[in-house]
């Protein structure tokens, strides 16, 4: 038997269903500049790659359910038109979790979590030194679906420069086991990626006799 439901009930029920079904989710650590020049950083797991050239990536912040306001990251991106998406390794998980604390606007989550901001090369938003991959992004566009609690939006950025820690590269490729990415699950669940397996795709030439 399948249980079925409509999606016009409480947003919390829809949210729980989404985060329990769409997983494991990759995590974007988004760093931006506040209006007084201080730094802001927060994780977002509604996150994906969109286009290889132009290189476009997207993440989807929701309206803050406690206050009905846009998150600080979003305010900063709309004003500054730029942001960095950082990818972190497993050993940084505790600190990245701390960056999700809903501090008042202008309070620096880098300091709160013990992370180090470093200058980007093409934009003013800072990068996270401790992360092995940085995407410097120029804001491209967004679509907002609701400004009410539970409402989400998609924000895309064009990546204008990438940085990779050489220690996670071998023969020109990123080695997953060296990157040790972490995923997000339902509730407070996270995923480690220490069991990687390979499977070749069946190409159309192989099935045509
Ligand atoms: C692993 C993880 C993933 C998260 N993913 C999202 C997300 O996809 N969308 C969202 O709106 N909030 C997400 N959050 C919550 C935000 O990080 C949190 O609201 C944060 O305070 C936003 O910071 P800001 O106000 O500085 O932008 C996530 C939190 C964690 C720990």
């Amino acid at each position: 038997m399948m249980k079925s439901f409509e999606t016009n009930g409480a947003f919390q029920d829809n949210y729980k269903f989404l985060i329990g079904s769409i997983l494991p989710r990759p995590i974007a650590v988004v760093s931006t500049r506040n209006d007084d020049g201080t730094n802001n950083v927060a994780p977002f797991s509604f996150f994906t790659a969109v286009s290889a050239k132009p290189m476009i990536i997207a993440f989807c912040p929701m309206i803050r359910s406690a206050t009905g306001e846009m998150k600080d990251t979003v305010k900063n991106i709309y004003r500054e038109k730029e942001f960095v998406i950082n990818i972190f390794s497993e050993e940084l998980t505790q600190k990245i979790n701390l960056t999700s604390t809903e501090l008042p606007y202008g309070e620096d989550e880098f300091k709160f979590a013990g992370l180090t901001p470093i200058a980007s090369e093409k934009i003013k938003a800072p990068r996270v030194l401790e992360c092995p991959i940085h995407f410097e992004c120029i804001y491209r566009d967004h679509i907002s679906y609701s400004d009410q609690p539970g409402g989400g939006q998609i924000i895309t950025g064009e990546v204008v420069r990438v940085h990779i820690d050489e220690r996670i590269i071998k023969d020109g490729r990123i080695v997953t086991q060296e990157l040790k990415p972490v995923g997000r699950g339902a509730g407070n669940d996270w995923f480690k990626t220490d069991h990687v397996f390979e499977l070749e795709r069946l190409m159309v030439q192989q099935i045509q006799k």
Side-chain angles (χ1 to χ4, degrees), residues 3 12 24 33-34 43 51 63 74 89 97 101 116 118 124 149 155 168 183 189 197 201:
K3 181 176 154 62
Q12 291 90 344
R33 270 192 356 153
N34 294 321
S51 167
I63 296 293
V74 182
S89 300
N97 192 38
T101 310
T116 317
I118 52 166
K124 293 197 187 78
I155 296 181
I168 66 163
D189 291 347
F197 64 96
R201 271 176 75 187

Side-chain angles (χ1 to χ4, degrees), residues 32-38 40 70 72-82 105 139:
T32 52
R33 270 192 356 153
N34 294 321
D35 56 7
D36 61 358
T38 57
N40 188 85
M70 283 194 297
D72 300 347
T73 302
V74 182
K75 293 179 191 164
N76 288 345
I77 291 173
Y78 289 164
R79 190 189 58 254
E80 305 272 325
K81 309 280 188 259
E82 47 174 54
Y105 185 84
Y139 162 77

Side-chain angles (χ1 to χ4, degrees), residues 27 40 42-46 60-62 64 71-73 97 100-102 109 184 190:
I27 301 167
N40 188 85
F44 293 89
S45 69
F46 289 18
C60 301
M62 291 174 60
R64 205 187 292 289
K71 299 201 173 181
D72 300 347
T73 302
N97 192 38
S100 76
T101 310
E102 306 207 334
E109 291 92 0
R184 184 66 158 157
W190 299 68

